[in-house]
Amino acid sequence: MQKSDGMNYAPQGSFNTVCQPGEFIFAAAALDHGHIYGMCNGLREAGGELKWVYDPDPAKVDKFLSTYPGVRAASSLEEILGDAEVKLVAAAAIPCDRGPLGLRVMDSGKDYFTDKAPFTTLEQLEAARAKVEETGQKYAVYYSERLHVESAIYAGQLIEQGAIGRVHQVIGLGPHRISLSSRPDWFFEKEKFGGILCDIGSHQIEQFLYFTGAKDAKVVHSKVANYNYPQYPNFEDFGDATLVGDNGATGYFRVDWMTPDGLSTWGDGRMTILGSDGYIELRKYVDIAREQSSNHVYLVNKDGEQHFAVSGQVGYPYFGQLILDCLNRTEVAMTQEHTFKAAELCLIAQRDAMIITTAE
């Protein structure tokens, strides 16, 4: 698992299969972002069988095949879409291409699992909503900063058990290391990556909705800036936003591309969840200057102060739930409404963001 570069961060867990061999066959396509490896790891560990891979870049395919021996290289996307055995296509395309690719996948009668951010425009979102309604297929999104982080999963379990009462506020911090030398050209083109709030901000908004139980929210304020990269005038290395949920819960998050090289991992992702009866703090990827291990959960409530180190203890239930949802046509892993609402709010936050200009 790559800890220094978030683009290639691909968690691995233990195998906990939910289906019979050959029951859930899936394919991978569009290998533009390294998250495709985390997506495939999760599905395989839950019992999915990875049959095909397709990308127009042979180098990307060769690297993928070296990671997953036995997978077949498709000659075209159509070869995958025409295979009746394939139930789902996982993809990590350039962000602006994720929505249109999903429409093609769903038209072929298959479910779609895309990396975040799932869209770069509200028009793409509406097209996907219409296509889901038309075809009955699923449009699933890899919101990895909750779904593939054991501390975040454990926090959800604590909240469900009533450990901090009703959640009133969520504060999320999502810093990332930019790793300039490894970034493709599209990473710096806003029309392709959608903007920082659309992109990595999507993780934070999804978590706000999930932990508070809000079904909808209003973006009260948002702003973006390019502090450090004048050579990329359309890039944004800072963004934040404030939200109010339809249940009265509030949220604030900050995302940035400012992780210093001295940090032992790609980003010091943290979250504080305030409830009526206590609070939870997550130190997701590192506990700086103390522990380079990840997944630290701190709980304070009427019982006192508690620390849980949960790496390797919780697992990643989303992937098995997604497989069963696809097989049974249920919505246990994540509802389509929630998936699309998180996408909608990050697009609105990006659209309405104040642009901060800095003095020379």
Side-chain angles (χ1 to χ4, degrees):
M1 179 169 60
Q2 173 63 264
K3 289 193 69 176
S4 63
D5 177 2
M7 186 166 181
N8 295 302
Y9 184 72
Q12 292 178 306
S14 58
F15 279 77
N16 185 17
T17 60
V18 300
C19 57
Q20 298 299 315
E23 189 178 5
F24 187 81
I25 293 174
F26 73 101
L31 312 180
D32 294 288
H33 198 293
H35 281 172
I36 190 66
Y37 291 91
M39 298 160 71
C40 290
N41 288 348
L43 291 171
R44 292 177 73 246
E45 289 159 6
E49 180 181 324
L50 178 55
K51 181 177 181 180
W52 294 103
V53 62
Y54 173 71
D55 190 277
D57 183 346
K60 289 188 177 74
V61 173
D62 288 344
K63 178 185 175 184
F64 191 90
L65 294 176
S66 70
T67 304
Y68 303 110
V71 174
R72 305 182 202 177
S75 59
S76 65
L77 178 64
E78 286 69 27
E79 187 170 9
I80 290 173
L81 299 183
D83 185 345
E85 285 190 337
V86 173
K87 298 188 182 303
L88 175 144
V89 176
I94 295 172
C96 63
D97 296 333
R98 291 171 185 170
L101 176 57
L103 302 185
R104 293 181 64 187
V105 171
M106 290 187 289
D107 271 334
S108 73
K110 304 182 190 310
D111 294 320
Y112 180 56
F113 183 32
T114 180
D115 189 17
K116 65 77 217 163
F119 312 102
T120 54
T121 69
L122 287 164
E123 291 76 16
Q124 289 180 347
L125 168 60
E126 292 311 311
R129 277 180 165 144
K131 188 62 68 176
V132 166
E133 184 69 22
E134 173 192 337
T135 64
Q137 301 301 139
K138 295 184 181 295
Y139 194 111
V141 178
Y142 182 56
Y143 292 115
S144 58
E145 290 187 23
R146 181 174 68 85
L147 305 177
H148 231 159
V149 174
E150 287 180 288
S151 57
I153 296 166
Y154 191 64
Q157 294 171 355
L158 288 173
I159 291 167
E160 187 176 350
Q161 293 162 12
I164 61 170
R166 180 178 177 181
V167 174
H168 293 312
Q169 189 197 38
V170 174
I171 298 175
L173 304 178
H176 287 61
R177 177 174 288 134
I178 195 163
S179 302
L180 276 176
S181 62
S182 68
R183 299 293 175 177
D185 291 343
W186 61 259
F187 179 78
F188 302 99
E189 300 175 31
K190 189 171 181 179
E191 69 276 10
K192 292 186 177 179
F193 75 88
I196 193 169
L197 299 178
C198 171
D199 182 19
I200 53 178
S202 63
H203 290 297
Q204 300 296 326
I205 291 178
E206 190 279 327
Q207 289 172 99
F208 165 74
L209 293 174
Y210 176 78
F211 288 128
T212 64
K215 300 299 184 185
D216 199 356
K218 179 180 180 181
V219 179
V220 179
H221 183 73
S222 58
K223 53 188 180 289
V224 296
N226 182 353
Y227 287 118
N228 296 324
Y229 301 97
Q231 69 271 40
Y232 301 112
N234 295 318
F235 186 62
E236 298 163 352
D237 62 7
F238 175 91
D240 71 0
T242 303
L243 300 95
V244 177
D246 58 358
N247 58 0
T250 69
Y252 169 83
F253 71 85
R254 186 203 80 215
V255 288
D256 65 74
W257 292 101
M258 298 184 187
T259 293
D261 289 343
L263 189 72
S264 59
T265 187
W266 56 267
D268 185 10
R270 297 196 183 199
M271 182 160 283
T272 301
I273 306 168
L274 175 66
S276 57
D277 302 325
Y279 64 91
I280 294 168
E281 182 188 346
L282 307 181
R283 301 180 190 179
K284 292 183 175 182
Y285 308 113
V286 65
D287 193 355
I288 57 169
R290 289 167 49 87
E291 291 283 346
Q292 290 191 9
S293 60
S294 55
N295 291 301
H296 295 272
V297 179
Y298 295 87
L299 168 65
V300 182
N301 60 12
K302 62 180 175 56
D303 298 321
E305 306 167 6
Q306 298 180 74
H307 167 237
F308 307 93
V310 298
S311 280
Q313 305 300 312
V314 180
Y316 308 114
Y318 169 81
F319 300 94
Q321 292 168 350
L322 177 60
I323 287 174
L324 292 176
D325 282 346
C326 293
L327 293 174
N328 301 327
R329 311 319 293 172
T330 51
E331 285 194 322
V332 176
M334 185 182 295
T335 68
Q336 193 66 75
E337 179 185 8
H338 177 92
T339 302
F340 283 157
K341 181 56 65 174
E344 177 186 349
L345 291 171
C346 78
L347 290 165
I348 291 171
Q350 184 71 54
R351 181 196 66 190
D352 297 344
M354 173 193 297
I355 301 173
I356 300 171
T357 56
T358 57
E360 293 295 334

